Amino acid sequence: MLQAFPTKDGAWSEVIDLQPLFLRLAMDSASEFLFGQSTNTQLSAQSEEASAKNAEDTAFVETFEACQHRIMMAMLLNEFYSIIETKSFMDKCRLCHQYIDKFVHIALARHESGDQVPQGQIEKYIFANSLAGETNDPVEMRDQLLSILVAGRDTTAALLSFLFLMLARHPMVFSKLRTTILEDFGTFHSPKNISFAGLKACAYLQWCINETLRLYPPVPWNSRRSTRDTSLPRGGGEDGLSPVFVPKGTETVYIVWLMQRQPEIWGPDADAFRPERWRDWKHGSGFEYLPFNGGPR
């Protein structure tokens, strides 16, 4: 990603739009983790030669993004969703399926043949290979892979984009986080101790991520539709503490973006970016902080 930063006269540009870089980073890392092969969108964006070399991957990503946009529009239509399901849209969906099916068949073939990693080599974790050990249904595998790609790509890019926006606006936080990163993980050219466990154990990094997710949850609103007559435990009556009747088929929308900024939960500075608040944070019901929602789904 650093190599993809725009430069002028050998130096980075003074103003860089990070969001497209983060979107490509998230897609490349997610595809390598899920399929075992990166889409290489970051490299493709740097030159026409690289783009031509990765033409199939580029076509998939462009089609994937087009489908996402259409599905987002369909969400707004709610029960009139089928209006969006045009022939062009369905053709794009099929192209995405064909691309992922290629990696599904590779994973299934490897599982059936019992391929082993050569002695002394560390096996790279590939989610598709793990799925092949759970099911041999190629459609189910494709659906699982696509589901996680949809859930993980934009959310990760959004988190990184908002995090760096906050760091740009809060130089003291940026300085403290950078010092922490250098102490714990070394420099870009001389890294040390970078592992999943180490990243999770880096408290100030986790606080900065949590605080960004609190103020800018990647899934800022969601809804549930009742499958039968039911009730919400409170919200009714003059005092708002009585139950509320919810008839079958009613859609209830809840806005996490607002809930995670409530002063009665987060204090009078609920709108402020303050990573240190996570030092003493204690969960109540466990549903005050829901950047990726919660409960059955």
Side-chain angles (χ1 to χ4, degrees):
M1 191 186 84
L2 293 177
Q3 294 173 356
F5 276 26
T7 58
K8 184 177 181 180
D9 300 327
W12 284 347
S13 302
E14 289 188 7
V15 178
I16 297 173
D17 185 358
L18 288 173
Q19 192 171 49
L21 297 171
F22 286 142
L23 282 165
R24 294 195 287 262
L25 171 66
M27 175 58 83
D28 289 349
S29 59
S31 56
E32 184 166 342
F33 161 74
L34 293 171
F35 311 143
Q37 177 180 310
S38 173
T39 47
N40 288 316
T41 59
Q42 206 78 269
L43 291 174
S44 298
Q46 293 185 49
S47 70
E48 293 184 4
E49 181 182 356
S51 180
K53 184 178 179 181
N54 301 316
E56 184 182 8
D57 303 308
T58 302
F60 163 71
V61 174
E62 291 175 351
T63 306
F64 176 84
E65 291 174 343
C67 288
Q68 275 191 306
H69 178 73
R70 294 285 289 183
I71 291 170
M72 188 168 63
M73 297 299 293
M75 287 175 64
L76 301 178
L77 293 172
N78 212 323
E79 57 260 41
F80 301 105
Y81 180 98
S82 59
I83 294 174
I84 289 293
E85 294 180 328
T86 61
K87 181 180 183 302
S88 174
F89 172 68
M90 300 308 292
D91 287 344
K92 286 182 170 64
C93 289
R94 276 190 285 273
L95 193 150
C96 289
H97 292 173
Q98 290 168 7
Y99 179 87
I100 296 174
D101 284 344
K102 175 178 64 176
F103 300 107
V104 168
H105 294 317
I106 291 173
L108 286 172
R110 181 179 181 186
H111 180 73
E112 290 171 3
S113 65
D115 280 356
Q116 299 293 322
V117 177
Q119 191 172 4
Q121 290 187 17
I122 299 175
E123 183 176 11
K124 182 174 74 171
Y125 181 82
I126 300 171
F127 187 69
N129 291 345
S130 294
L131 275 179
E134 300 293 330
T135 178
N136 60 0
D137 183 342
V139 175
E140 182 181 353
M141 287 182 62
R142 177 224 291 159
D143 289 347
Q144 295 283 359
L145 290 166
L146 186 56
S147 175
I148 296 180
L149 181 61
V150 169
R153 188 265 190 144
D154 286 6
T155 53
T156 302
L159 165 60
L160 289 169
S161 298
F162 279 118
L163 172 59
F164 275 74
L165 176 64
M166 291 297 96
L167 294 177
R169 290 179 175 177
H170 300 82
M172 295 292 289
V173 175
F174 169 76
S175 179
K176 183 174 180 178
L177 178 60
R178 176 160 174 76
T179 299
T180 301
I181 295 297
L182 291 174
E183 289 176 351
D184 287 10
F185 306 114
T187 65
F188 179 76
H189 296 290
S190 300
K192 63 178 183 180
N193 304 327
I194 298 180
S195 66
F196 181 79
L199 289 168
K200 293 292 286 184
C202 186
Y204 197 68
L205 172 61
Q206 295 302 317
W207 295 350
C208 289
I209 291 173
N210 288 348
E211 186 71 343
T212 303
L213 288 172
R214 182 184 71 83
L215 289 172
Y216 302 100
V219 186
W221 66 272
N222 211 325
S223 66
R224 293 291 184 269
R225 190 181 294 266
S226 54
T227 59
R228 55 181 171 81
D229 288 351
T230 184
S231 64
L232 294 173
R234 64 178 186 171
E238 293 184 2
D239 58 3
L241 298 178
S242 299
V244 177
F245 175 58
V246 182
K248 178 180 178 179
T250 302
E251 184 172 13
T252 302
V253 176
Y254 57 98
I255 304 177
V256 176
W257 192 92
L258 290 174
M259 186 181 68
Q260 293 185 170
R261 293 167 176 255
Q262 291 293 318
E264 56 264 37
I265 298 175
W266 300 96
D269 65 344
D271 284 330
F273 179 76
R274 186 171 64 83
E276 284 76 12
R277 80 173 71 244
W278 291 89
R279 178 190 292 115
D280 304 315
W281 167 249
K282 292 180 176 60
H283 288 284
S285 66
F287 281 82
E288 298 89 350
Y289 176 65
L290 294 172
F292 298 106
N293 291 271
R297 65 196 83 179

